Amino acid sequence: MVSKFFTSLVSLAAVLGANASLTRRVACPDGRHTATNAACCALFPLRDDLQANLFDGGKCNAEAHESLRLTFHDAIAISPALEAQGKFGGGGADGSITIFSHIETGFHPNIGLDEVVEKQRPFLQRHNIGVADFIQFAGALGASNCAGAPQLSAFVGRKDATRPAPDGLVPEPFHTPDQIFARIADASSGEFDEILTVWLLTAHTIAAANDVDPTVPGSPFDSTPEIFDSQFFLETQLKGTAFTGRGPVQGEVQSPLRGEFRLQSDFAIARDQRTACEWQSFVNNQTKVQQMFQFVFHDLSILGQNIDDLVDCTEVIPIPRPLTTRTHFPAGMSDRDIEQACLETPFPTLPTDPGPRTGVAPV
Ligand code: HEM
Ligand SMILES: *[C@@H]1O[C@H](CO)[C@@H](O)[C@H](O)[C@H]1NC(C)=O
């Protein structure tokens, strides 16, 4: 899988290079932009509207986080295994979560997503774009506001859903690694193995929980939820010492920092012998954080769609600001606090933030 990835990276680079020199840009009707394809023109005003009015002037805010989460919950709802049993398996990245929000946001793993769906809906209504394309675009754009993020791909031309996805296809934080690996492999027809599942979970570097324990909304998964860095991979390997919120709730385990929320699924995949070394390898490797998430988001965002029918409008997504921080142990912590799970490679040597032990604030 990994070597296939690098081969496709090389050929992708070749194609991009060839396109850049051969393709003539078209002028958009707004008179202000040019694009490689006229189909991308509608995305410029949508981008500016979302940046100004959903993402608070281009911030990595809670709506940016929720918009990225929504891309996953729309796309992952597809199951060749159900189809093989003669049942409808969902359409993947087909917009069904928004089109049939009255059904799908009622599914247990989609708890809380009704909010972002309704916040996004007015933008969808005042711009000329399909629902499936809109969801993936908003997620890629929201992530671009987080320093350190890769430029995520944006395509248009997806077919919108005509029926809701069935329940039971979105992973839950109380599922075992086996259950999660099996579900993600099924959704991707085997492409996303357990290693690529780790790559997908990079998204949790700009994330918080609102509804797993509703008494502590906005509890982040790492100490830097506005930065697309590798702190999440480091902090999930620290020893858990206390529950954030009202105590153990289903899908939660103890976290190492006051106010930080730890999902049982992240905890378990960080320590599973199939994935622990891959998890650790992201710590302090920003190139890897960016490249691997960029790669898996591309494929996630088109699940159930035919790439040959889509137009690549990634150029509309701003290049995110680079990281200006270094991977570090939170104040008062060091490698003594690491619960070493990878047996092959020692944990990287990293600096500790100055000052006394602190907690993290809700986002
Ligand atoms: C594979 C197993 C996964 C599980 C079990 C899982 C579970 C969860 C849970 C329980 C939350 C907190 C929801 C809440 O209480 O508000 C969450 C948040 C989030 N997830 Fe995941 N997730 C998974 C994978 C992913 C993937 C692949 C992505 C993106 C591509 C993603 C993106 C996010 C984001 C951005 C948030 C933060 C939302 C916010 O801050 O409001 N997750 N996830
Ligand atoms: C970072 O990850 C990349 C991609 O997997 C790898 O080629 C590189 O060797 C890693 N760098 C370090 C310092 O480990």
Side-chain angles (χ1 to χ4, degrees):
M1 185 55 64
V2 173
S3 65
K4 189 173 136 204
F5 162 53
F6 283 109
T7 319
S8 64
L9 251 195
V10 170
S11 53
L12 183 68
V15 170
L16 287 177
N19 268 351
S21 52
L22 293 177
T23 312
R24 182 172 309 154
R25 297 184 68 83
V26 298
C28 292
D30 66 3
R32 300 201 303 131
H33 297 99
T34 62
T36 48
N37 190 302
C40 303
C41 286
L43 296 181
F44 290 105
L46 171 60
R47 175 189 70 187
D48 297 346
D49 194 7
L50 285 169
Q51 288 291 53
N53 302 310
L54 185 64
F55 301 137
D56 198 14
K59 296 208 175 66
C60 182
N61 61 0
E63 286 72 26
H65 301 168
E66 285 157 16
S67 295
L68 184 61
R69 180 177 173 225
L70 189 65
T71 67
F72 175 57
H73 290 236
D74 191 36
I76 207 67
I78 181 168
S79 175
L82 280 182
E83 296 281 340
Q85 297 166 23
K87 297 178 189 147
F88 177 59
D94 63 355
S96 64
I97 198 163
T98 294
I99 300 168
F100 300 102
S101 58
H102 55 293
I103 297 169
E104 289 194 33
T105 65
F107 298 165
H108 187 267
N110 292 340
I111 187 165
L113 284 172
D114 53 325
E115 262 182 55
V116 67
V117 165
E118 294 318 319
K119 281 185 193 160
Q120 287 184 352
R121 205 181 295 280
F123 297 87
L124 186 53
Q125 284 163 350
R126 61 180 180 250
H127 293 271
N128 179 25
I129 184 171
V131 184
D133 293 340
F134 176 90
I135 290 175
Q136 300 301 324
F137 180 75
L141 182 63
S144 80
N145 294 330
C146 311
Q151 185 192 40
L152 297 178
S153 53
F155 292 94
V156 295
R158 292 176 186 78
K159 284 193 186 62
D160 277 349
T162 53
R163 51 194 293 202
D167 197 359
L169 298 182
V170 180
E172 292 268 25
F174 50 83
H175 286 162
T176 63
D178 277 343
Q179 286 174 299
I180 292 173
F181 297 152
R183 175 75 276 280
I184 296 215
D186 173 30
S188 61
S189 303
E191 186 202 347
F192 294 153
D193 60 6
E194 61 268 16
I195 298 298
L196 271 67
T197 302
V198 173
W199 301 3
L200 282 167
L201 282 166
T202 308
H204 283 180
T205 185
I206 49 166
N210 293 300
D211 295 288
V212 180
D213 179 348
T215 67
V216 282
S219 301
F221 295 161
D222 72 4
S223 58
T224 56
E226 277 88 32
I227 304 179
F228 205 100
D229 58 5
S230 66
Q231 284 301 125
F232 166 72
F233 289 105
L234 186 166
E235 293 176 25
T236 44
Q237 295 210 326
L238 294 166
K239 284 188 199 84
T241 48
F243 288 100
T244 288
R246 63 177 142 94
V249 296
Q250 193 186 32
E252 181 193 17
V253 296
Q254 293 189 331
S255 85
L257 290 174
R258 188 162 31 84
E260 185 165 293
F261 203 90
R262 182 178 279 175
L263 298 179
Q264 184 189 311
S265 48
D266 290 338
F267 168 85
I269 293 172
R271 286 159 183 72
D272 190 287
Q273 280 314 299
R274 291 164 288 185
T275 42
C277 290
E278 187 63 18
W279 195 277
Q280 180 181 293
S281 75
F282 278 85
V283 176
N284 204 24
N285 190 337
Q286 185 64 15
T287 306
K288 183 161 188 175
V289 165
Q290 293 188 338
Q291 286 183 350
M292 302 321 182
F293 192 67
Q294 185 176 49
F295 173 76
V296 287
F297 181 84
H298 173 282
D299 288 7
L300 177 70
S301 75
I302 55 173
L303 283 181
Q305 304 283 342
N306 183 352
I307 183 90
D308 299 330
D309 300 337
L310 307 182
V311 174
D312 188 346
C313 299
T314 304
E315 61 181 340
V316 180
I317 303 291
I319 309 271
R321 281 169 295 125
L323 207 60
T324 54
T325 49
R326 298 287 309 275
T327 312
H328 57 270
F329 287 107
M333 295 188 162
S334 69
D335 49 13
R336 285 191 313 276
D337 300 292
I338 289 292
E339 214 160 55
Q340 183 68 25
C342 171
L343 305 177
E344 289 160 25
T345 323
F347 202 79
T349 305
L350 297 168
T352 293
D353 237 17
R357 209 171 264 227
T358 55
V360 291
V363 293

